[in-house]
Amino acid sequence: MNKETLLTDWNFMRILRLGLGIYIAAQAVETQSLFSRVVTVIFLFQAITNAGCCGSNKENQFQYH
């Protein structure tokens, strides 16, 4: 992961994932729930790396000649 991935292409869904990750993290601390911690890690990972559930945002990464 490089600096460009972190700082560019912030769209609505990426901001939403970050917000949900932070909100669920606060709930995980409050309730001490293992499930909430796992969901927090998933949402924050998706927001930081700009990855979605199906990984389709980098579909044009490989070009076959």
Side-chain angles (χ1 to χ4, degrees), residues 18 24 34-35 43-44 53:
L18 180 64
I24 296 170
L34 179 63
F35 178 74
F43 273 107
L44 290 179
C53 295

Side-chain angles (χ1 to χ4, degrees), residues 2-54:
N2 56 18
K3 186 177 179 180
E4 182 180 333
T5 303
L6 291 173
L7 300 177
T8 59
D9 199 25
W10 280 90
N11 54 21
F12 174 74
M13 285 306 296
R14 193 170 178 188
I15 294 170
L16 181 65
R17 286 185 206 116
L18 180 64
L20 283 172
I22 292 170
Y23 176 76
I24 296 170
Q27 292 297 315
V29 169
E30 183 179 326
T31 63
Q32 299 179 354
S33 169
L34 179 63
F35 178 74
S36 295
R37 292 177 192 173
V38 171
V39 173
T40 296
V41 169
I42 292 170
F43 273 107
L44 290 179
F45 174 78
Q46 286 182 342
I48 291 169
T49 61
N50 197 20
C53 295
C54 45

Side-chain angles (χ1 to χ4, degrees), residues 49-63:
T49 61
N50 197 20
C53 295
C54 45
S56 63
N57 69 338
K58 302 260 186 204
E59 65 184 340
N60 295 326
Q61 181 179 7
F62 301 106
Q63 296 179 358

